[in-house]
Amino acid sequence: MKYVYLLESINSPAENYVGLADDLRKRLAAHNAGQSPHTKKFKPWRLVTYVAFSDDKKAVDFERYLKSSSGRAFAKKRLR
């Protein structure tokens, strides 16, 4: 399974991050440990939502969509 996930910074709730992972718990722990250069300055993070995919291509496509402007609007309105 592939997981597309949405994180929100606990200290800066306006900061969000969309990612893709095989092991969601391990990836969230890595974000909170500061192991990702894109998210370390806004840690700690909380998981807002995730979607599991059995098809890798669909997971990659959905992550790419959520990172687009229309995908960010969708996530703000529907995934919170």
Side-chain angles (χ1 to χ4, degrees):
M1 297 295 278
K2 292 277 189 191
Y3 300 93
V4 176
Y5 59 91
L6 175 63
L7 301 178
E8 177 181 79
S9 172
I10 292 172
N11 295 334
S12 303
E15 295 297 326
N16 298 296
Y17 181 79
V18 173
L20 177 68
D22 292 322
D23 184 339
L24 187 55
R25 288 185 179 144
K26 184 177 177 181
R27 190 68 181 124
L28 179 58
H31 283 297
N32 284 327
Q35 297 173 354
S36 174
H38 298 288
T39 60
K40 69 181 177 182
K41 66 180 175 180
F42 295 109
K43 66 180 187 170
W45 294 90
R46 74 174 188 89
L47 183 63
V48 175
T49 192
Y50 69 91
V51 180
F53 290 87
S54 58
D55 183 319
D56 290 358
K57 182 178 179 343
K58 287 182 182 180
V60 170
D61 289 346
F62 189 61
E63 179 200 23
R64 187 172 294 134
Y65 167 69
L66 289 180
K67 289 183 174 183
S68 71
S69 59
S70 60
R72 285 191 299 271
F74 170 80
K76 186 176 182 179
K77 187 172 184 181
R78 303 283 183 213
L79 299 180
R80 301 187 152 260

